[in-house]
Amino acid sequence: MKVIDAGKTLIGKTRYVFGGGRSQSDINAGRFDCSSFVRWAFEQVGVNVGPMSGVTTDTLKTQGQAINPKDMKPGDMVFFDTYKIDGHVGIYVGDNQFLGCQGKTGVAIASMAKGTYFGERFNGRVKRF
């Protein structure tokens, strides 16, 4: 899936900064938060999910087509209830894993299997472009 391949190019090259990724200088320096990373990855494959300065989990959750979690496919956006409802977003890669920009790792693949941090916070919201 092209959006996943694009996102994977940033693994090990970023750090998580809440509110980061909303300027070209942040992007050049590898500073992203979860929603700005998702916006960047989709932009790389020609999908506009909103302006660089204004994309948040709250704007992303209104985009795309709602998908039943049992029908998730790689490339779908997945949402998690962290510090708030829909406080974190990533891109599903398959096998109960997603690609996202997280606090301790920056852009990385994380587990959303039952019993894991994100697995316990996955709220069932899945969106597809």
Side-chain angles (χ1 to χ4, degrees):
M1 180 107 240
K2 289 181 180 181
V3 70
I4 296 167
D5 292 340
K8 282 181 175 179
T9 66
L10 294 185
I11 291 175
K13 299 176 182 172
T14 63
R15 65 185 171 97
Y16 178 88
V17 176
F18 188 83
R22 287 176 177 74
S23 68
Q24 195 59 51
S25 61
D26 272 358
I27 291 169
N28 293 345
R31 294 185 296 258
F32 292 89
D33 66 10
C34 63
S35 54
S36 65
F37 163 70
V38 167
R39 187 208 61 80
W40 179 90
F42 277 101
E43 180 183 62
Q44 303 314 297
V45 297
V47 178
N48 180 352
V49 299
M52 180 188 307
S53 62
V55 170
T56 67
T57 56
D58 290 328
T59 64
L60 288 173
K61 73 182 183 182
T62 67
Q63 307 254 345
Q65 175 188 359
I67 301 296
N68 187 306
K70 67 179 178 54
D71 298 322
M72 282 190 296
K73 292 183 179 178
D76 290 342
M77 287 190 299
V78 289
F79 291 80
F80 306 86
D81 293 346
T82 53
Y83 74 99
K84 67 175 188 172
I85 294 172
D86 298 313
H88 191 67
V89 64
I91 302 167
Y92 188 65
V93 298
D95 297 323
N96 276 328
Q97 296 182 315
F98 74 97
L99 180 63
C101 190
Q102 288 75 242
K104 292 185 166 95
T105 61
V107 173
I109 293 177
S111 177
M112 52 189 285
K114 295 274 189 227
T116 65
Y117 176 84
F118 288 109
E120 296 304 310
R121 287 160 180 83
F122 175 56
N123 65 19
R125 187 185 306 277
V126 180
K127 293 302 206 82
R128 181 174 296 158
F129 289 102

